[in-house]
Amino acid sequence: MKLIKYFIQFILIIFLFLLFKILGLKLSKSFSSFIFKIIGPHFRSKKISYSNLTIAFPELDENEKEKIVNSMWATYGKIFAEYIFIKNFRQSPKFKKKIIIENQKGLEKIKQKNIPVIFISGHFDNFELMAMHIEKSGIDLAAIYRPLNNKFLNPLMENIRKNYICKKQIQKGISGTKELLREFKSGTSIALMIDQRVSEGIKCDFFGKEALTTTIPAQFIKKFNAEVVPINIERSIDDNFKIRIFDNIQFSENDSVEKITLELNKILEKMIIANPKQWIWTHNRWKL
């Protein structure tokens, strides 16, 4: 039954991607955003989104939560439409103008030093553009990804990611962590999303409540004395993007894995507080 459902989803998505190609980027984003705002609130994740917002922002009333959730679904729709134009974002000078970079010098310094770093971020708006820009800047990069459950759709998305976002895509899991370790030892920087629940993580404070959090960045920091570079992306009203490269962070060799993980969570919190409408609230982040 699941295979039939996945196949129907695959056919529908292929149809929409073809439609988006005909409509062009601007109309596709408007159409997709409209559809997602209609169907999004009917998903099971609606309850999770409101629950997550209550944990992170207990002072918000129901109307304010609804505005954030509606904006999130609109963003989901735009991201979905943009996937079929990812090649253009990578190669077209016209699309390149849609992305403004804050602190490009930071990336140039990393490139010149030729010492691998750990880029950390969360699922903010079109997060794929961050890894794309880092790699385009000449930095050897490997990114962790979680394969889609849909076996028909996953090969398509992997192809898009490897060809236009970041060539070195490493699958999440134990074997992926080992591969990540090999890449880092060989001089490859790594990009990690630290905002998702991981069963093998540790319980760490996140917005005042314990959440299972990945320790991969902290472990690499302890093992290699590696520097961390936070990065985030924000969509403007005119659907352009600003990618911000934060200054490198060097932790003390005496800092524990727990302390480092907590500090990185605090950085992520600040990013979310600055722009809650563009973070993915549908993930069951605080499930233990």
Side-chain angles (χ1 to χ4, degrees), residues 8 25 67 77 111 155 157 203 212 244:
I8 293 171
L25 179 62
K67 286 179 183 177
K111 181 182 174 181
M157 298 308 295
K203 293 178 181 179
L212 287 170
R244 181 183 176 189

Side-chain angles (χ1 to χ4, degrees), residues 128-188:
E128 304 279 23
L129 298 179
M130 293 187 283
M132 176 192 289
H133 181 74
I134 294 169
E135 189 181 74
K136 278 182 67 178
S137 297
I139 294 171
D140 187 16
L141 185 72
I144 288 255
Y145 78 100
R146 179 186 176 276
L148 299 177
N149 294 329
N150 190 319
K151 298 180 187 296
F152 300 101
L153 187 59
N154 189 59
L156 172 65
M157 298 308 295
E158 283 189 356
N159 183 63
I160 290 173
R161 287 190 172 117
K162 288 178 180 178
N163 284 316
Y164 306 116
I165 295 169
C166 178
K167 293 180 180 67
K168 294 181 179 179
Q169 293 283 326
I170 298 176
Q171 190 169 317
K172 179 183 174 184
I174 295 173
S175 61
T177 302
K178 290 178 180 177
E179 187 179 349
L180 204 65
L181 185 60
R182 287 195 296 271
E183 289 287 351
F184 198 81
K185 283 181 176 178
S186 70
T188 301

